[in-house]
Amino acid sequence: MDVMPQQDPESRRTPGPSPHDRRARSAAAHDTTPGHEPAATTGEDPSVLPAEGATAVPPPPPTLRTTLRRAAFGAVAAGVLLAGALVAVPDRGRDEAKEPGPVERAEAAATAGSPASLSDLTALIGDRQQWVESHPQDAPSWATLGSAYVEWGRRSADAAYYGRAEEALKRSLAAQPGERGNGEAWVGIAALANARQDFLAAKRWGETVRKQEPRTWRVYPVLIDAYTGLGDRKAATEATEKFGELRKGVPALARTADLYRDQGWREDALATAREAADRATTPAEKAEALHRLGELAWERGEPEEAVAQFDAALRTDSGHHASLAGKARALAALDRTDEALAAYQSVLTKLPRPLYALELGELYASLGLDGDARTQYAELEKLLAQSRAAGVDESVLRARYESEHGDPAVAVELLRAQWKKQHRSAAVADALGWALHRAGQSEEGLKYARQAVDTGVRNASYAYHLGVIERQLGEHGAARRHLEEALRTNPAFSPLDAPKAREALEALGEPPPGGPGATAR
């Protein structure tokens, strides 16, 4: 069973690469591609690097037409991929019978497009850190290290690693430009932009790679994430279908399940997610699939099933801390509040995501523990400040907090800026509609709230927000319908808002006999 490393990756370096790995990397380090200029040795510590914005590396020009070609590595350099970090693995030849170590397991997961365990990811980072210190011209290893930093930062909620990722990817491109075969670094930068929630930059990088190599499956996960963040459902659907065409198996099933969920096709999402769980082979892949089943159960208003799936994920991989947060949410819905509080407190020490801090604060508030809620909201502010310093745009989450517990006008300003940046997902539309309502601009907020619900995603909070806005504007029939939808979708969707939804529905009363038509007569 995999466990969360007690030290971060930069203090967990492996003793050194095997002779086989040295040969593979040596071939990569001596790339003789025409026009290839190796980067100069800087002597800097690759693990201590400044955090910069997601677009600090200028996107490639949109008119670039140079044909990408894969770098001639000899044996191809290994890398890490999850949600779009591009990789390849070496040909092991006579070592095939050897029991794979953590680095090899991480490479195998990457080749499948699946998550590696955190302990294996740690080993891979240590291996590449050690290698690039003495081989600073090895562009593929820098790209692998940068992509691994992105993944570690995302899965550990340590945004400081994004700055290290950016610097490693820039060094890779300095040693070998993307248009000269270093597509791995370009995809890594796209994944970094997604992690920082700069979806427009991720789209530009991803589309550049796709234009040059349309049949490389590795670019499609980052494009799916970028299109989803931008609210471009058509492009996200096409990218998901192409990914499934090029890359069969559990990763494609997982992406397809997410697509079905976002379109409101619950039965299809559930069936596909179950197939992914049944076919998963490694503990990390299995835990991720079980976590998805837990999330789907939670969204259907089945908290007991959600707890069971999250527990199964944690038994499979105790380092899958997102499942502990999901379990906390479901426990609160079951009124097992002491357990929920303990689970939230535990996960925040292991995976300090701002979202979990907000959820814990709202759970405290729902229990009348206002002092604890204020303390938790202060912790949320600290986490948001850390994310901002690392170049992560958490505007939507901050706006959610401001709308409910702070200054709705600030939330409106933040979300208008997101909309202007073309971040027009259902989540942004819902948050903007609600912020406008809370700021006293319900009529304008109505159109955004309707847009969120009209995407088809079955989200109880979206339906609740729309129903409240409609009630405020006197559209009682529509309000009653959407409040009922919210409670039917998930009766305990929020410890604060679910009771308010029931109160609002009761205040509306029963519809007039005979329906609206009878009233008109």
Side-chain angles (χ1 to χ4, degrees):
M1 183 178 294
D2 296 309
V3 297
M4 179 69 174
Q6 297 302 306
Q7 297 173 288
D8 67 17
E10 55 190 42
S11 60
R12 292 281 302 273
R13 299 186 180 183
T14 57
S18 67
H20 173 83
D21 286 340
R22 287 196 183 96
R23 288 195 298 272
R25 294 174 194 145
S26 178
H30 293 87
D31 182 11
T32 57
T33 303
H36 172 75
E37 294 295 334
T41 303
T42 63
E44 298 174 7
D45 182 351
S47 66
V48 183
L49 302 166
E52 299 181 29
T55 55
V57 182
T63 57
L64 180 63
R65 299 186 183 279
T66 305
T67 301
L68 271 177
R69 40 195 173 73
R70 302 193 65 81
F73 306 150
V76 184
V80 151
L81 169 65
L82 186 80
L86 190 62
V87 299
V89 295
D91 177 9
R92 302 200 176 281
R94 62 172 180 262
D95 295 333
E96 285 184 309
K98 181 182 176 182
E99 182 71 21
V103 174
E104 288 80 11
R105 289 196 300 267
E107 293 167 355
T111 304
S114 298
S117 72
L118 287 174
S119 55
D120 290 351
L121 183 61
T122 299
L124 179 61
I125 288 175
D127 178 75
R128 292 302 183 267
Q129 284 176 332
Q130 188 174 41
W131 179 260
V132 297
E133 283 179 355
S134 56
H135 299 78
Q137 300 173 6
D138 187 346
S141 287
W142 277 115
T144 294
L145 180 59
S147 296
Y149 277 150
V150 173
E151 182 62 3
W152 179 267
R154 189 185 68 82
R155 291 178 53 193
S156 68
D158 187 349
Y161 276 86
Y162 295 152
R164 298 165 186 166
E166 183 174 317
E167 186 62 23
L169 292 164
K170 286 164 67 176
R171 291 188 182 189
S172 178
L173 289 169
Q176 182 180 354
E179 61 268 29
R180 295 180 181 174
N182 194 2
E184 282 91 351
W186 277 356
V187 176
I189 288 176
L192 173 61
N194 277 327
R196 284 173 160 169
Q197 301 190 49
D198 187 349
F199 303 116
L200 197 58
K203 173 188 172 181
R204 289 197 297 262
W205 284 105
E207 287 183 345
T208 298
V209 176
R210 183 180 61 183
K211 186 175 183 179
Q212 307 306 322
E213 288 192 359
R215 296 197 60 80
T216 179
W217 64 267
R218 298 172 180 89
V219 72
Y220 287 94
V222 295
L223 283 173
I224 293 167
D225 289 342
Y227 292 141
T228 300
L230 293 170
D232 190 340
R233 299 174 66 206
K234 182 176 183 293
T237 299
E238 292 174 351
T240 302
E241 291 172 349
K242 189 66 175 179
F243 180 57
E245 174 189 327
L246 296 173
R247 194 67 185 173
K248 309 294 183 183
V250 174
L253 289 169
R255 289 289 182 169
T256 302
D258 291 343
L259 173 67
Y260 290 157
R261 176 258 177 199
D262 290 343
Q263 294 178 339
W265 301 347
R266 282 185 163 182
E267 293 77 11
D268 296 298
L270 179 58
T272 308
R274 281 176 174 165
E275 184 179 356
D278 290 343
R279 294 176 60 179
T281 56
T282 68
E285 187 177 64
K286 187 80 168 182
E288 187 71 16
L290 292 167
H291 175 82
R292 180 174 287 99
L293 287 172
E295 291 290 345
L296 289 171
W298 161 251
E299 291 173 0
R300 292 194 309 271
E302 300 175 6
E304 289 184 355
E305 173 67 13
V307 169
Q309 296 293 352
F310 290 133
D311 275 340
L314 289 165
R315 286 194 301 270
T316 303
D317 180 359
S318 62
H320 201 277
H321 304 308
S323 288
L324 183 57
K327 180 180 177 180
R329 194 180 304 121
L331 288 169
L334 292 168
D335 291 327
R336 294 163 60 179
T337 51
D338 288 344
E339 295 172 79
L341 290 172
Y344 269 125
Q345 291 160 356
S346 177
V347 77
L348 279 166
T349 65
K350 302 168 183 175
L351 192 65
R353 287 179 177 163
L355 173 62
Y356 304 155
L358 176 59
E359 290 180 357
L360 177 54
E362 291 184 339
L363 180 56
Y364 279 134
S366 73
L367 299 171
L369 303 173
D370 294 338
D372 290 320
R374 285 193 295 271
T375 299
Q376 198 57 45
Y377 295 148
E379 183 63 25
L380 168 63
E381 292 281 5
K382 292 179 184 177
L383 293 175
L384 290 173
Q386 291 171 7
S387 294
R388 185 167 55 251
V392 180
D393 186 351
E394 290 279 12
S395 294
V396 177
L397 183 65
R398 184 184 168 204
R400 283 178 52 185
Y401 166 74
E402 294 288 352
S403 292
E404 293 288 355
H405 314 291
D407 186 347
V410 171
V412 170
E413 182 180 355
L414 288 167
L415 292 164
R416 286 197 191 280
Q418 290 291 302
W419 203 260
K420 188 174 181 180
K421 289 167 61 176
Q422 300 180 41
H423 290 188
R424 299 178 182 181
S425 65
V428 175
D430 167 72
L432 179 52
W434 187 243
L436 286 163
H437 164 71
R438 296 281 292 174
Q441 303 174 60
S442 297
E443 287 190 9
E444 185 182 0
L446 180 63
K447 70 175 184 179
Y448 292 105
R450 280 179 174 164
Q451 182 170 328
V453 170
D454 287 347
T455 60
V457 62
R458 302 286 293 279
N459 186 298
S461 290
Y462 296 176
Y464 164 70
H465 290 156
L466 179 55
V468 170
I469 295 171
E470 288 168 333
R471 181 188 175 209
Q472 175 69 27
L473 296 174
E475 299 183 15
H476 292 167
R480 186 180 294 105
R481 184 170 65 255
H482 286 115
L483 290 169
E484 289 174 345
E485 179 185 338
L487 293 170
R488 186 170 59 251
T489 299
N490 186 350
F493 65 91
S494 162
L496 283 179
D497 290 341
K500 294 177 183 177
R502 285 188 285 272
E503 292 171 6
L505 190 57
E506 290 173 6
L508 284 170
E510 295 296 324
T519 303
R521 289 193 297 271

